[in-house]
């Protein structure tokens, strides 16, 4: 019994010392953080965000200052609300602050491991950025595709004219989406991704919209990482299905091009396939993930230009 009592005493002392050490470490870490509102147990400051987080953060900044720390569930978040500090973080010290957290929804289909948008700034990210700057967004390629832009604008005007002649209404938002999407798809694949009938256009638009909706939803797994394995809201599961549909579309064009015996179109797809074949700087999986942000960018741009046309 004496040995058992001694063993229990040693264990209790060890647990007490460990708890005090952890509390002291947490207190020191808290002293290094900017000031912020007092967090509640478990949920932290989540409820202070309300249904309009941008307004809530503005009000909090008036009392906590232009830089403050919030505890959102189990995640500590630093909020910058000053143009001067934002420039310091995003421009002067951009590399140091580039390791942003990845939303759990973006982990679907391992998108965070292959997308230039979410990769950390290491070799893979540098390779994708170099390829994008040289072969997708280069001024020379944009100038060479000026005739495509002219052609798609003419297609848009012709479609509107036909609708007017037939007395049919025109969905301006969807028409702008089709024009932008087919311009990008011609630049990348040398084909129209959707046709002006709007049946396939609406389906693809909804697919892109669903991806953006799932990515923007508040996700418990982001605030409580311990819940990632069970995906309580099913967001990552639905995002994975949406990504799979989009990759199926991209894969169709890639296989069609690889099996083709015709002369290369020298579009973005040809350039990427040539890079894969010559130096293995990227692979097919990375290439398909590279195409996803282009579709999302088109949809976001269309909503900014035509916010009331859904």
């Amino acid at each position: 019994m004496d040995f058992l009592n001694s063993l229990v005493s040693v264990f209790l002392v060890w647990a007490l010392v460990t708890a005090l050490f952890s509390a002291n470490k947490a207190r020191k870490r808290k002293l290094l953080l900017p000031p912020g509102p007092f967090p509640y147990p478990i949920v932290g400051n989540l409820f202070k965000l309300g249904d309009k987080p941008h307004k809530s953060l503005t009000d909090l900044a008036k009392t906590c200052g232009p830089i403050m720390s919030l505890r959102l569930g189990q995640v500590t978040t630093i909020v910058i609300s000053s143009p001067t500090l934002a420039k310091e973080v995003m421009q002067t010290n951009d590399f140091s602050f580039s390791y942003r957290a990845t939303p759990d929804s973006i982990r679907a289909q391992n998108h965070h491991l292959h997308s230039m948008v979410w990769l950390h700034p290491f070799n893979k990210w540098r390779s994708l950025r170099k390829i994008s700057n040289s072969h997708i967004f280069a001024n020379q390629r944009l100038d060479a595709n000026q005739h495509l832009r002219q052609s798609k604008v003419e297609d848009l005007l012709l479609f509107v004219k036909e609708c007017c002649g037939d007395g049919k209404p025109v969905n301006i938002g969807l028409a702008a989406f089709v024009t932008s999407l087919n311009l990008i798809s011609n630049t990348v694949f040398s084909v129209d991704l959707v046709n002006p009938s709007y049946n396939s256009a609406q389906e693809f638009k909804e697919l892109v919209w669903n991806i953006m909706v799932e990515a923007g939803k508040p996700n418990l797994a982001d605030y409580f990482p311990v819940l990632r394995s069970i995906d309580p809201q099913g967001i990552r599961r639905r995002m994975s299905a949406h990504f799979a549909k989009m990759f199926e579309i991209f894969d169709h064009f890639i296989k069609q091009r690889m099996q083709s015996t015709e002369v290369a179109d020298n579009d973005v797809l040809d350039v990427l396939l040539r890079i894969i074949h010559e130096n293995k700087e990227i692979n097919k999986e990375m290439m398909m993930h590279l195409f996803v942000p282009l579709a999302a960018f088109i949809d976001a741009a269309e909503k900014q230009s035509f916010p009331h046309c859904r």
Side-chain angles (χ1 to χ4, degrees), residues 241-283:
H242 298 324
F243 276 156
K245 291 180 181 178
M246 184 165 285
F247 292 154
E248 185 178 351
I249 295 172
F250 297 153
D251 190 53
H252 168 75
F253 288 113
I254 294 172
K255 288 181 177 178
Q256 195 175 48
R257 181 63 56 82
M258 294 177 70
Q259 296 171 358
S260 176
T261 58
E262 298 178 1
V263 179
D265 297 294
N266 200 31
D267 52 18
V268 172
L269 179 56
D270 275 328
V271 171
L272 295 180
L273 288 175
R274 188 159 57 248
I275 292 174
I276 292 174
H277 178 72
E278 291 177 354
N279 54 22
K280 305 293 183 180
E281 196 170 4
I282 63 172
N283 54 39

Side-chain angles (χ1 to χ4, degrees), residues 26 43 49 54 70 112-113 118 136 141 150 173 184 201 206 216 229 241 255 268 275 288 290 304 307:
V43 297
L49 296 182
H54 59 294
L70 298 178
H112 66 299
L113 299 179
W118 298 101
I136 299 179
R141 179 164 292 277
Q150 181 67 30
I184 295 294
E206 289 301 324
S229 59
K255 288 181 177 178
V268 172
I275 292 174
M288 289 202 292
L290 185 63
Q304 185 176 5

